[in-house]
């Protein structure tokens, strides 16, 4: 009788282990890869449309320095698998992000505390970055808890994963710079193309929508190393060749992005399976 009970207990443990392994294998919230797609708004800060007081750390002129972008990317969680091939999510992720959008600024004519040199620019940019994320509120799947036998199961509270991120990459800027020597003169236009290395930092969070799908919100700040996104290199004093260009700001922009994230299964070669988005 004791031997029967022993074998019965072993069988129960094995069944429970199989259920746990199967549940983890099918829980898309525990997958490494995440595909994200979305868009947002950016705010340019540089030598054009800049305040005369160079000690001001942030400014925006709605519709003048703001524009829109779209982005797409993929993230990879650095978690490790145990001896049963179950993934334990890490607080660290890496990823690749592609962003495309427009950027613009023009010296305002109705603000006395801003430079008014009759110059402006508008550009289309493509940005590619490598990203590192650190979750200070780690991602954790919800679970069901049985309070008492005979009563309906209740769901335990879920965390809202939140993280800090840093990125390094490059931005290709194809734009048009325009200026007027005098207010009533015809605008002179100049096409330009430049490539700049960039640094980004920011914060983000995710809200679960359904199994394997989340809604993400990010806010970040980006600096361009070459300081020529607006075709102005920030000379502190006006020059003979370009008397209308001078300033003391490094070209930079802030952004707010909203995206939808999809957890992806892995192929046998441990690559992302994009078909699993529709499964």
């Amino acid at each position: 009788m004791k031997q029967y009970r022993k074998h019965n207990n072993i069988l129960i443990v094995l069944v429970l282990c199989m259920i746990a392994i199967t549940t983890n294998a099918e829980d898309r919230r525990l997958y490494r890869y995440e595909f994200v797609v979305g868009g947002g708004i950016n705010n340019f800060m540089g030598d054009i449309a800049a305040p005369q007081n160079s000690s001001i750390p942030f400014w925006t002129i709605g519709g003048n320095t703001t524009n829109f972008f779209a982005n797409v990317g993929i993230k990879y969680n650095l978690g490790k698998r145990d001896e049963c091939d179950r993934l334990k999510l890490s607080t660290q992720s890496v990823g690749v992000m592609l962003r495309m959008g427009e950027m613009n600024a023009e010296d305002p004519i109705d603000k006395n505390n801003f430079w008014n040199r009759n110059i402006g620019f508008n550009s289309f940019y493509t940005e590619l970055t490598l990203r590192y994320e650190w979750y200070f509120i780690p991602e954790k799947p919800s679970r069901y808890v049985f309070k008492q036998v005979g009563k309906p199961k209740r769901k335990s509270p879920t965390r809202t994963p939140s993280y800090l991120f840093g990125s390094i990459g490059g931005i290709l800027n194809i734009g048009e710079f325009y200026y007027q020597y005098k207010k009533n003169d015809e605008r002179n236009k100049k096409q330009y193309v430049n490539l700049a290395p960039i640094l980004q930092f920011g914060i983000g969070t995710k809200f679960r929508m359904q199994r394997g799908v989340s809604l993400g919100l990010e806010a970040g700040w980006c600096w361009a190393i070459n300081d020529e996104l607006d075709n102005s290199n920030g000379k502190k004093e006006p020059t003979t060749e370009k008397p209308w260009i001078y300033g003391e700001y490094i070209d930079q922009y802030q952004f707010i992005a909203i995206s939808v994230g999809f957890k992806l299964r892995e192929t046998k070669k441990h690559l992302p399976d994009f078909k699993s988005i529709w499964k």
Side-chain angles (χ1 to χ4, degrees):
M1 189 70 176
K2 290 183 179 179
Q3 187 176 4
Y4 172 77
R5 288 180 179 177
K6 182 178 179 181
H7 290 163
N8 193 29
N9 290 337
I10 293 174
L11 181 61
I12 292 173
V13 171
L14 288 175
V15 171
L16 292 175
C17 287
M18 291 294 293
I19 293 173
I21 292 173
T22 304
T23 302
N24 283 339
E26 293 300 319
D27 193 344
R28 294 180 63 179
R29 290 166 291 179
L30 293 180
Y31 289 175
R32 286 184 187 273
Y33 290 100
E34 183 179 16
F35 175 74
V36 295
V37 59
I41 187 170
N42 57 47
N43 177 64
F44 177 80
M45 286 171 41
D47 300 311
I48 297 179
Q52 297 181 22
N53 181 1
S54 60
S55 64
I56 296 177
F58 172 81
W59 72 91
T60 181
I61 306 174
N64 189 330
T65 60
T66 56
N67 219 315
F68 299 95
F69 65 85
N71 65 275
V72 65
I74 189 166
K75 302 178 183 180
Y76 179 82
N77 188 278
L78 297 178
K80 295 182 179 180
R81 295 187 179 275
D82 60 17
E83 60 276 4
C84 295
D85 198 35
R86 292 173 300 189
L87 177 65
K88 183 178 181 181
L89 291 177
S90 170
T91 57
Q92 303 176 77
S93 293
V94 294
V96 179
M97 302 297 292
L98 175 66
R99 179 173 294 142
M100 304 177 75
E102 289 193 48
M103 197 178 298
N104 59 273
E106 183 175 351
D107 282 352
I109 59 175
D110 56 346
K111 296 182 182 295
N112 296 328
N113 55 335
F114 283 76
W115 293 113
N116 184 7
R117 298 153 294 181
N118 300 316
I119 59 175
F121 85 101
N122 184 281
S123 70
F124 179 83
Y125 69 92
T126 302
E127 173 192 299
L128 183 65
T129 56
L130 298 176
R131 168 184 288 209
Y132 169 80
E133 296 178 350
W134 174 72
Y135 284 78
F136 57 89
I137 301 180
E139 187 171 4
K140 183 181 180 181
S142 61
R143 58 191 178 87
Y144 286 98
V145 178
F146 290 88
K147 195 172 184 180
Q148 290 182 2
V149 177
K151 290 191 175 183
K153 56 188 177 180
R154 63 181 177 85
K155 206 173 184 180
S156 66
T158 57
R159 293 179 179 176
T160 301
S162 301
Y163 54 92
L164 301 174
F165 67 87
S167 305
I168 185 171
I171 181 170
L172 174 65
N173 212 32
I174 303 174
E176 181 181 75
F177 176 81
Y178 49 89
Y179 59 92
Q180 295 170 286
Y181 287 104
K182 296 180 181 180
K183 284 187 177 181
N184 297 326
D185 289 349
E186 185 179 352
R187 277 187 173 181
N188 296 277
K189 297 181 180 180
K190 174 187 176 183
Q191 305 293 326
Y192 70 95
V193 178
N194 58 42
L195 180 65
I198 56 175
L199 295 174
Q200 286 182 359
F201 298 95
I203 187 171
T205 188
K206 296 190 291 187
F207 305 91
R208 183 190 175 198
M209 298 174 63
Q210 61 183 52
R211 182 182 292 269
V213 183
S214 61
L215 179 67
L217 178 64
E218 289 185 348
W221 204 303
C222 179
W223 289 267
I225 305 301
N226 72 350
D227 192 29
E228 290 188 352
L229 295 183
D230 56 4
N231 197 45
S232 170
N233 58 5
K235 299 292 184 181
K236 292 187 178 181
E237 298 295 336
T239 63
T240 304
E241 297 80 10
K242 299 179 180 180
W244 55 86
I245 299 178
Y246 54 97
E248 301 181 46
Y249 287 98
I250 297 175
D251 288 351
Q252 55 196 282
Y253 56 94
Q254 303 82 35
F255 60 87
I256 296 176
I258 299 176
S259 61
V260 179
F262 302 90
K263 292 287 188 176
L264 302 178
R265 294 188 178 96
E266 295 182 37
T267 65
K268 293 181 179 180
K269 295 183 179 180
H270 300 291
L271 296 175
D273 181 10
F274 289 96
K275 294 180 180 179
S276 63
I277 295 177
W278 295 276
K279 294 180 181 180

